[in-house]
Amino acid sequence: MKKERKKIVLVLSGGGIAGITHLGVIQGLQEKNIPIDRIVGASAGSIVGSFFAHFKKAEKAYQRLKSYIPTRYSFRTFGLPSFFEGFAGKGIFSLEKIEKIFENLLGKQSIQDLPIPLTIAATNLESGKVVGLTKGNLARAICASIAIPGFFKAVVINKVTYIDGAVLGEIPTQLAKKKENELLIASNIAFPEGKRKTEIVPIKTWDMIQAPHRAKQLKLADFVIQPDIGYPLKIWMPPKEVEELHQKGIEAGRKSAKKIRQIM
C-alpha cells in the first residue's frame, strides 16, 4: 500500500521588494514536482502568495507581477504623498491606487475562492495581534498585509484597522496551524541577524526588534529555504536586479527540493 504523502504548507516571509524571490523559490519547487497545498504569507509574501494561489503556476505569476514592480518612484504606483498626514502619524501614502492595481491583475475575487488555500497575515492595530485573513476581498487583504506603518495608511476591513503583517508575523509560521499530515516549509527572505549593514536608524531598529521573533518563527518550520539574495534595501528596483532575485529563488527552490522530498 502506497504511503500517502504529507501535504505542504508554504510560509512566505516579508522582505519588501525582494519578495519576488519567493516566486522563484516556488518555480524551483514546481520544476522538481514538489506540490504546494496551502500558502501563508506576510507583507511581500502575501503579494506573492496571492499571485501564485490565483495563477497556480509560479512562472505565469512572475510574468504578470514583474512588470508592476516599481523601477523608480512613480505616482502611477504610489499616488501623491501626503506629508501632512504622514507627520500626523497616519501614513504618507494611501494604498488605494495599489489596491486597484491588484484588482486589475487578480480580479475582484475573495480569498476563499482561490484555487489554492491562502492565509494572509495582517496586524490588528486594536488588539495588537497578528491574524490570518482567509475570507473577504483579496486585494484589500493584501493591502492590509503590506501597510507599512508611517509609510502607508492603515487599512480598515469590516471596521477593524490593520497594518503590515510583518510587524508581528514577519515569518508567519504561527498562523499556519499545521495539521498532523502536513509539512511546514518556510521560504525566508527576512534579513537574518547581522546580515544587513545599514546606517539607517529605523531599519537598524526594525532588525533589532525582529531578530528574536524571526528565530522563534523559524523554529516552527519543518524546513527552511533561505535564498542567498544579498538582502537589498530598496523600494524600487531595475528589471535586471528583479530577474537576478527571481533566479536566485529558483536556484534555492531546486536545491531544497531533494531534502523536502525526503521528509514528505
Side-chain angles (χ1 to χ4, degrees):
M1 187 174 177
K2 189 176 180 181
K3 183 181 176 182
E4 186 179 354
R5 73 164 179 87
K6 290 189 176 181
K7 293 188 176 182
I8 291 179
V9 183
L10 184 63
V11 176
L12 306 175
S13 75
I17 202 165
I20 200 70
T21 310
H22 287 314
L23 274 177
V25 168
I26 298 171
Q27 184 174 330
L29 294 175
Q30 286 192 312
E31 287 176 1
K32 298 296 183 180
N33 298 312
I34 301 293
I36 309 299
D37 300 290
R38 193 156 63 85
I39 309 161
V40 183
S43 200
S46 76
I47 299 174
V48 169
S50 297
F51 273 74
F52 174 64
H54 176 73
F55 290 106
K56 296 189 288 185
K57 296 291 184 183
E59 173 60 23
K60 187 173 181 180
Y62 173 66
Q63 294 302 328
R64 287 291 284 155
L65 182 58
K66 72 174 183 178
S67 60
Y68 281 85
I69 294 175
T71 57
R72 56 184 175 77
Y73 178 78
S74 171
F75 291 124
R76 185 191 74 162
T77 303
F78 294 105
L80 292 169
S82 176
F83 293 107
F84 177 79
E85 293 198 342
F87 288 130
K90 294 181 180 180
I92 298 171
F93 294 99
S94 166
L95 281 158
E96 289 180 6
K97 278 186 173 291
I98 292 176
E99 184 175 344
K100 285 184 170 61
I101 289 171
F102 288 140
E103 284 185 348
N104 288 337
L105 291 169
L106 299 170
K108 292 184 179 182
Q109 63 176 312
S110 298
I111 303 170
Q112 66 269 26
D113 295 331
L114 290 165
I116 299 174
L118 173 67
T119 299
I120 292 177
T123 301
N124 184 319
L125 198 55
E126 278 103 26
S127 71
K129 294 180 180 179
V130 63
V131 299
L133 304 176
T134 58
K135 296 180 180 178
N137 183 280
L138 176 61
R140 192 145 188 83
I142 297 171
C143 288
S145 190
I146 67 171
I148 303 168
F151 191 75
F152 289 123
K153 294 177 183 177
V155 174
V156 178
I157 301 175
N158 296 328
K159 298 182 180 180
V160 179
T161 304
Y162 295 100
I163 57 173
D164 198 317
V167 170
L168 295 176
E170 193 170 24
I171 311 161
T173 48
Q174 70 270 43
L175 297 178
K177 299 178 181 177
K178 190 181 81 168
K179 298 171 185 174
E180 190 175 341
N181 68 330
E182 290 182 325
L183 275 177
L184 192 57
I185 309 297
S187 175
N188 179 38
I189 57 165
F191 312 103
E193 191 176 6
K195 284 277 190 177
R196 178 162 58 179
K197 298 184 185 301
T198 176
E199 297 305 315
I200 301 174
V201 173
I203 300 299
K204 289 178 78 76
T205 305
W206 173 267
D207 283 345
M208 289 167 61
I209 293 169
Q210 288 294 338
H213 298 298
R214 291 169 185 156
K216 289 178 183 178
Q217 290 159 3
L218 287 172
K219 281 183 180 179
L220 295 176
D222 296 303
F223 186 83
V224 178
I225 302 171
Q226 184 82 54
D228 183 11
I229 60 173
Y231 311 105
L233 177 58
K234 298 179 179 180
I235 57 173
W236 49 77
M237 186 175 286
K240 182 182 176 182
E241 292 183 28
V242 170
E243 184 56 42
E244 287 173 357
L245 286 179
H246 181 243
Q247 196 58 44
K248 287 181 178 181
I250 292 174
E251 291 167 7
R254 288 170 178 165
K255 185 177 178 181
S256 301
K258 184 177 180 180
K259 293 179 180 178
I260 293 171
R261 187 171 284 108
Q262 289 172 350
I263 59 176
M264 282 176 66

